């Protein structure tokens, strides 16, 4: 998702109390960015933030950080947050390739990836958020008993991701290629913007859960 460049988006993010600036200075101290010390879950590539906002509203006993690379996209989440502020949710505008500079070892309890960009060309495989290169970064920041959850409607990206998990030394805990008809994995499912859009077109939704 890349909205056209929106004038003022960078300034709005710079001034927003909901967006954490210079995130690397919080490494190891993320709990101080929130009112309450409690588990920390992050979504990487959150887009306009619908999923993580619904999740944060439903789980006030968890702190959430939404990560998005583009300020023009993140701006939409900030605007929603201004209408409905949540004390347990903050945003970061950054490239996920830098997560290990921003979180201390084991500081993150769960990672969500939803409808990540597929980067279909083989030569771009290492840019996929479920590549072994990204799993190596997640390995640095995820708590030993933490887990990663990934949803997509892209069958090729999902197959690639299933193969990357053992190659990265991770364990595949469960998966489905038809989430909305899987009574176990679909329980309590919160839809993302892309999930709503693509499932309404008839695309089955894939989901996997991985840990180490
Ligand atoms: N997760 C949302 C959903 O399911 O509706 C948005 C999906 S959209 C296809 C993917 C989002 O991930 C885009 O907003 C994109 O800018 C963001 N993204 C892709 N690569 C990223 C990276 N390396 N770091 C941070 N955000 C990234």
């Amino acid at each position: 998702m890349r909205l056209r460049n929106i004038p003022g988006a960078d300034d709005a993010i710079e001034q927003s109390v909901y967006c954490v600036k210079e995130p690397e200075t919080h490494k190891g101290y993320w709990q101080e960015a929130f009112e309450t010390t409690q588990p920390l879950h992050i979504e990487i590539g959150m887009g306009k933030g619908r999923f993580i906002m619904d999740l944060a509203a439903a789980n006030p006993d968890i702190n959430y950080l939404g990560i998005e690379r583009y300020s023009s996209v993140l701006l939409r989440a900030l605007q929603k947050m201004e209408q409905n502020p949540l004390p347990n949710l903050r945003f970061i505008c950054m490239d996920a390739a830098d997560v290990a500079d921003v979180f201390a070892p084991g500081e993150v309890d769960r990672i969500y990836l939803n409808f990540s960009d597929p980067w279909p060309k083989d030569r771009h495989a290492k840019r996929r958020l479920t590549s072994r290169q990204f799993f190596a970064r997640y390995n640095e920041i995820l708590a030993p008993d933490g887990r990663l959850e990934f949803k997509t409607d892209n069958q090729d990206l999902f197959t690639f991701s299933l193969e990357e998990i053992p190659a990265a030394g991770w364990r595949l805990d469960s998966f489905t290629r038809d989430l909305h008809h899987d009574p176990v994995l679909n329980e309590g499912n919160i839809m993302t913007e892309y999930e709503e859009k693509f499932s309404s077109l008839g695309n089955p939704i894939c989901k996997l859960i991985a840990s180490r």
Side-chain angles (χ1 to χ4, degrees), residues 1-3 43-51 67-70 73-74 92-98 112-119 127-129 134 151 191-196 198:
M1 183 188 303
R2 179 137 195 211
L3 302 181
E43 185 188 8
I44 296 178
M46 66 161 188
K48 296 180 199 166
R50 170 182 161 175
F51 170 82
I67 294 173
E68 171 54 49
R69 180 167 45 180
Y70 292 120
V73 182
L74 179 51
I92 311 174
C93 194
M94 63 174 273
D95 187 330
D98 300 326
Y112 292 102
L113 306 173
N114 292 313
F115 296 79
S116 308
D117 296 339
W119 292 106
R127 298 185 190 176
R128 298 173 193 152
L129 294 183
F134 270 93
K151 291 194 282 188
M191 297 252 261
T192 81
E193 268 146 356
Y194 272 60
E195 182 173 355
E196 183 132 312
F198 289 121

Side-chain angles (χ1 to χ4, degrees), residues 95-164:
D95 187 330
D98 300 326
V99 283
D101 297 330
V102 165
F103 299 101
E107 194 169 19
V108 173
D109 296 289
R110 190 172 301 174
I111 298 171
Y112 292 102
L113 306 173
N114 292 313
F115 296 79
S116 308
D117 296 339
W119 292 106
K121 291 182 181 153
D122 284 348
R123 67 189 159 88
H124 290 151
K126 63 175 183 285
R127 298 185 190 176
R128 298 173 193 152
L129 294 183
T130 52
S131 65
R132 64 195 71 186
Q133 289 84 356
F134 270 93
F135 273 106
R137 295 172 178 125
Y138 307 148
N139 204 33
E140 291 190 46
I141 66 169
L142 192 66
D145 59 349
R147 70 188 206 217
L148 177 145
E149 299 192 8
F150 170 55
K151 291 194 282 188
T152 184
D153 70 320
N154 186 307
Q155 295 290 336
D156 289 345
L157 179 62
F158 194 67
T159 299
F160 168 84
S161 307
L162 290 174
E163 292 167 359
E164 288 297 274

